[in-house]
Amino acid sequence: MKYQELHIQTQREFPNNARTQGFGWLVRAGYVTRENEILPLGGQMISRLQNLSTDSSFFSHLPLPIIYNEHENFFALSAGSTEITHCEFCKYTARLELSQIKKSVFVQEEPQQIEKVLTPECHTIEALASFLNIPKEKTAKALMYTRTADNQFVFVVVRGDMTLSEAKLKDKVGEVRLATAEEITKAGAAAGYASPVGLNAKDALIVVDDLVAQSPNLAAGANETGYHLLNTNCGRDYSPEIVADFIQAKAGDVCINCGQPLSVINSISLATRQELNFENILLALAETHHDDKGLTFPKSAAPFDVYLMHIAGKELDTRVKAEEIYNELTSAGFTVLFDDRDERAGVKFNDADLIGCPVRITVGEKNLKNGMVELKPRKADQNMLIPQADIIANLREIR
Ligand SMILES: [Zn+2]
């Protein structure tokens, strides 16, 4: 393709909104706008990636560090909005909100008798644990929702030190929203002092995290303002409808597979089983393939194999010669970006470096007189002079 057909506009300055180096270079090289809209050059890159992706081993050929599980491929990026848990040891990987963790019962003991105690101003787990002088692990936390489909009141219990994953809840019961004060009162619960004990199964769908079901003697609300119950036991004092995993993982939680600590990593999603996110793949490639002059795309994932340019001559028409080479290379199956502008050599060299095709070929008068062209792999420091007849053989050798 011709440079001018693609309407490439490179930028001198890094966009001030660039959250990452890779994005900054994509904007400067004219792949995307500052608003992250794909420009024709970006479209060309993406259509090449799409062609490559028909190969089932696409990701194994892409030079990218990928974190993956059986459902999804991720690329770690601090500015990425998809949080995942990852185990360095066994490579367990999951979206944070769906990640499983290994849970353990805080203390295994015989169920004790339930006891109602006065707990003034204990609206939160922190206040309750501090007032009762017990660890948060010995408390049960209540969260109340209403299912949007049928207005069913949903009462959720997780251990006091843990956080509910709403994604897991929705997965089990359907779409929900937070319950209103009226709905809480109507179900017989008391905000800040709520527990499933004493609730009517008709009024509340009781949903319990599996760790709560195994944990004896948790302090929970008494459904009466100012009071809590000591030693509540799931199964004895209330009967949940659903017992499952409802916990949101956090950094340092224990890997479900191998018991090592999990890290939480920001990432972007590159592919699910159903579809590939080519814009994110382009960004990931830019993050991993650039230097201080621009992008350095590898041969296996570049918008074009070759950046071809001519330098205007005094005696020879270098443009016509470059056009000949362009036709020769495209006939041989190479994709070529022909910089057909009448710009100064320096401008073209800079743009070639910015755009980052694996090889630049320069057609200049002096070399041409000797039947030579200049060939420079993007990542090499030196260029080489090669006979025009050997261009294709040389290109095939460059990785
Ligand atoms: Zn692990």
Side-chain angles (χ1 to χ4, degrees):
M1 288 182 99
K2 309 282 175 65
Y3 195 96
Q4 297 185 72
E5 285 171 0
L6 277 173
H7 305 289
I8 299 172
Q9 278 292 336
T10 58
Q11 313 282 332
R12 248 182 238 188
E13 304 287 331
F14 255 91
N16 47 22
N17 68 339
R19 292 172 69 203
T20 67
Q21 284 280 309
F23 178 72
W25 286 118
L26 287 175
V27 172
R28 281 204 59 194
Y31 286 81
V32 299
T33 66
R34 283 163 190 247
E35 290 73 37
N36 200 22
E37 287 151 6
I38 298 289
L39 289 166
L41 178 60
Q44 163 67 22
M45 174 79 163
I46 285 174
S47 77
R48 278 206 95 185
L49 291 170
Q50 279 168 334
N51 288 340
L52 291 168
S53 71
T54 54
D55 185 336
S56 61
S57 56
F58 174 53
F59 274 103
S60 63
H61 293 316
L62 272 189
L64 275 183
I66 285 169
I67 301 174
Y68 61 93
N69 60 27
E70 64 198 282
H71 310 291
E72 202 163 1
N73 290 355
F74 304 94
F75 173 76
L77 185 64
S78 56
S81 59
T82 302
E83 287 183 297
I84 55 172
T85 58
H86 182 65
C87 175
E88 288 291 331
F89 301 89
C90 74
K91 307 301 171 197
Y92 173 80
T93 299
R95 281 187 172 250
L96 180 64
E97 66 275 18
L98 299 177
S99 175
Q100 294 185 296
I101 57 170
K102 188 175 271 175
K103 304 172 196 170
S104 51
V105 173
F106 181 66
V107 56
Q108 204 56 269
E109 57 192 13
E110 285 305 306
Q112 309 285 311
Q113 198 164 16
I114 203 162
E115 187 186 338
K116 184 171 163 184
V117 290
L118 181 64
T119 52
E121 302 301 324
C122 291
H123 308 281
T124 63
I125 290 293
E126 287 72 22
L128 177 69
S130 156
F131 181 82
L132 295 175
N133 196 23
I134 54 172
K136 288 196 281 182
E137 287 83 348
K138 289 281 285 176
T139 67
K141 178 155 68 183
L143 300 113
M144 291 166 282
Y145 291 86
T146 297
R147 182 158 59 196
T148 48
D150 58 359
N151 285 327
Q152 168 67 55
F153 184 72
V154 180
F155 195 105
V156 188
V157 189
V158 299
R159 207 172 69 176
D161 59 314
M162 298 203 167
T163 304
L164 170 72
S165 160
E166 284 195 2
K168 290 180 183 176
L169 177 66
K170 288 172 183 177
D171 193 45
K172 285 282 186 296
V173 307
E175 195 61 37
V176 291
R177 58 168 172 78
L178 284 174
T180 63
E182 292 81 55
E183 286 164 342
I184 292 171
T185 311
K186 190 168 160 239
Y193 298 88
S195 85
V197 181
L199 292 191
N200 195 328
K202 178 162 69 53
D203 299 325
L205 175 68
I206 298 173
V207 171
V208 170
D209 181 59
D210 47 15
L211 183 60
V212 168
Q214 298 160 30
S215 298
N217 304 327
L218 299 181
N223 287 325
E224 189 180 334
T225 301
Y227 291 91
H228 276 87
L229 299 171
L230 301 182
N231 306 322
T232 68
N233 286 272
C234 177
R236 182 191 72 180
D237 303 319
Y238 58 94
S239 302
E241 198 83 19
I242 302 172
V243 175
D245 169 39
F246 290 105
I247 294 307
Q248 167 102 4
K250 60 181 186 310
D253 277 344
V254 178
C255 174
I256 185 92
N257 284 344
C258 74
Q260 295 293 326
L262 289 171
S263 21
V264 173
I265 299 172
N266 280 77
S267 74
I268 52 176
S269 172
L270 303 184
T272 62
R273 271 195 196 173
Q274 290 76 33
E275 60 182 355
L276 285 86
N277 186 328
F278 289 101
E279 291 183 26
N280 280 353
I281 295 171
L282 171 60
L283 178 61
L285 286 166
E287 296 300 339
T288 42
H289 297 89
H290 64 256
D291 60 16
D292 57 355
K293 294 198 183 86
L295 296 158
T296 58
F297 287 128
K299 197 177 178 182
S300 58
F304 298 93
D305 300 319
V306 177
Y307 189 99
L308 173 68
M309 57 174 275
H310 67 289
I311 302 171
K314 291 195 177 93
E315 297 161 38
L316 292 178
D317 190 341
T318 51
R319 190 184 198 288
V320 168
K321 202 70 199 170
E323 187 106 32
E324 260 175 42
I325 294 170
Y326 174 75
N327 291 331
E328 192 189 337
L329 294 183
T330 48
S331 308
F334 292 97
T335 58
V336 182
L337 176 59
F338 176 22
D339 188 346
D340 54 343
R341 297 173 299 169
D342 294 322
E343 283 284 359
R344 285 182 295 113
V347 171
K348 292 186 174 184
F349 289 150
N350 282 342
D351 287 346
D353 282 344
L354 273 174
I355 291 168
C357 299
V359 179
R360 186 187 78 207
I361 293 175
T362 307
V363 182
E365 188 170 68
K366 194 175 130 221
N367 293 326
L368 213 48
K369 282 181 175 168
N370 302 319
M372 308 289 260
V373 296
E374 189 186 289
L375 184 149
K376 182 179 177 297
R378 173 64 181 82
K379 288 190 264 188
D381 296 327
Q382 300 293 320
N383 47 38
M384 34 188 177
L385 285 181
I386 55 161
Q388 198 192 320
D390 294 350
I391 296 177
I392 289 174
N394 272 279
L395 286 179
R396 294 220 160 103
E397 274 171 32
I398 290 168
R399 295 273 137 227

